[in-house]
Amino acid sequence: MESARNATESPLGGRIRKLRQARGMTQKAFADSLGIVQGFLSSIERGRKVPSDTLVIALCRTYGVNVTWLLQGKGAMNAPPDGTGEGAGEGTPLLESVPQGFPEDIPGDVVQGRIVFPGMPQGCYAVLAYGDFMAPTIRDGDMVLFDPARPAAPGEIVLVTNRWGEAILRRYRLKAGELLFSPDNAAYSPFHPDPDTRIIGTVVQVWRNVKL
């Protein structure tokens, strides 16, 4: 993954230090909350290391930070709790879960924020993967971007509803002319769609959640 910013382009480290101090946390406690080691955080704050996009997203989600402030130094440090305000309509919506009425009906409380990074495709949504069903391709905690308007081709990963109407990740396959949704983890079984099964979107990007 590309780094969030080159160290010479944006003083991310100083703003991350300011955020940590505003929360009244030691470097160790702050680093532990993000799943990184204290030494790496210290290097970030000193400008010797650059945080990954995934780490920036984790910062914004964990501490309610305005991503525009963190990356560009513009606006308030804290993100508006309802997702409104300057820049709220920009970026990819990060969903806590996929509502049953998606994409026509998206309640405001399921949108955790908006992710703004260069090169992100338009019209997509983001969710966090859970479980090891698609391991090693997609792991627990990875961020998955999916396009609800893109038709799936055989072999692609899709977000699809299971028998309980929940959104899950599976690989779209055709076997002997029959549609099959299969996990990448051989410990789990594939399933055939039933009349209520629907494809929510096709996965277009996966951002790895790496603990350093």
Side-chain angles (χ1 to χ4, degrees):
M1 182 186 298
E2 293 281 328
S3 61
R5 283 290 189 275
N6 185 285
T8 61
E9 295 177 342
S10 178
L12 272 177
R15 285 193 286 274
I16 290 174
R17 181 190 298 111
K18 184 177 180 180
L19 168 65
R20 174 177 64 79
Q21 292 173 343
R23 298 298 189 268
M25 300 178 70
T26 64
Q27 277 192 345
K28 186 178 187 310
F30 197 69
D32 288 347
S33 73
L34 298 169
I36 61 176
V37 298
Q38 181 180 350
F40 184 64
L41 174 62
S42 177
S43 294
I44 290 175
E45 291 187 355
R46 293 172 180 269
R48 296 175 180 173
K49 298 285 186 180
V50 183
S52 67
D53 289 346
T54 303
L55 181 55
V56 170
I57 292 168
L59 274 165
C60 293
R61 291 186 63 249
T62 303
Y63 293 103
V65 179
N66 177 357
V67 67
T68 304
W69 172 83
L70 188 61
L71 294 180
Q72 303 175 18
K74 298 178 181 178
M77 175 190 295
N78 297 325
D82 59 357
T84 60
E86 183 180 357
E90 301 175 354
T92 300
L94 175 61
L95 306 179
E96 180 179 16
S97 61
V98 180
Q100 291 188 352
F102 180 89
E104 290 80 14
D105 182 20
I106 307 176
D109 58 355
V110 305
V111 179
Q112 294 184 297
R114 290 179 179 268
I115 312 303
V116 184
F117 291 115
M120 297 193 75
Q122 298 295 315
C124 291
Y125 295 82
V127 293
L128 293 179
Y130 65 91
D132 61 349
F133 299 93
M134 297 304 295
T137 311
I138 300 176
R139 300 175 184 172
D140 186 64
D142 286 353
M143 179 171 290
V144 176
L145 270 66
F146 67 95
D147 187 345
R150 176 178 165 179
E156 291 189 309
I157 298 176
V158 297
L159 204 61
V160 61
T161 56
N162 61 15
R163 69 182 65 182
W164 299 281
E166 301 168 326
I168 60 175
L169 292 164
R170 292 294 187 272
R171 199 170 291 276
Y172 179 92
R173 297 193 183 280
L174 291 175
K175 186 175 182 180
E178 293 187 353
L179 180 59
L180 194 68
F181 295 105
S182 63
D184 281 6
N185 189 336
Y188 300 97
S189 301
F191 71 93
H192 292 280
D194 60 35
D196 294 326
T197 301
R198 71 183 182 97
I199 296 176
I200 298 169
T202 302
V203 173
V204 295
Q205 286 186 15
V206 178
W207 290 6
R208 176 68 16 101
N209 179 16
V210 178
K211 290 189 176 182
L212 302 173

